[in-house]
Amino acid sequence: PGGVGRRRERRRHEQQSAVQVAVGRLPEVQRRVVVLRFGREWSVRQVADELAKSEAAVKQLTYRAVNRLRELLQEAGYEHDA
């Protein structure tokens, strides 16, 4: 039982590290959108105001960033769990 918990925790830490690396590989504006939307939990409007972009642009940047993150994580061996 203790070994399973340690393995699960190690796997979670590895996944978090992989996400951080993948976010670091995003283009600057996509990285900023991801950090603000998901890290700071800002609304689309807040991010748009901060980056001086339209809400539509922020939504598109978010979509592209999430798709790119998915690709980068798959390349690193992490499959998307639907």
Side-chain angles (χ1 to χ4, degrees):
V4 172
R6 283 191 292 272
R7 283 193 300 272
R8 188 173 296 139
E9 181 64 26
R10 185 174 55 243
R11 175 75 172 160
R12 189 175 68 77
H13 178 65
E14 289 170 0
Q15 288 172 336
Q16 288 174 340
S17 295
V19 169
Q20 289 175 343
V21 168
V23 168
R25 292 182 59 194
L26 292 174
E28 174 70 21
V29 69
Q30 288 181 8
R31 183 170 50 248
R32 289 187 70 199
V33 167
V34 166
V35 168
L36 295 174
R37 287 284 291 133
F38 303 111
R40 295 189 183 171
E41 298 181 356
W42 283 15
S43 69
V44 170
R45 166 55 42 209
Q46 289 172 306
V47 176
D49 289 346
E50 176 71 16
L51 301 180
K53 298 200 176 286
S54 69
E55 288 185 43
V58 169
K59 289 176 183 180
Q60 184 177 60
L61 285 164
T62 303
Y63 176 82
R64 290 179 178 169
V66 168
N67 282 330
R68 183 62 181 138
L69 285 172
R70 187 175 291 123
E71 291 171 359
L72 291 167
L73 291 169
Q74 285 175 347
E75 289 171 11
Y78 295 95
E79 293 300 319
H80 174 65
D81 294 330

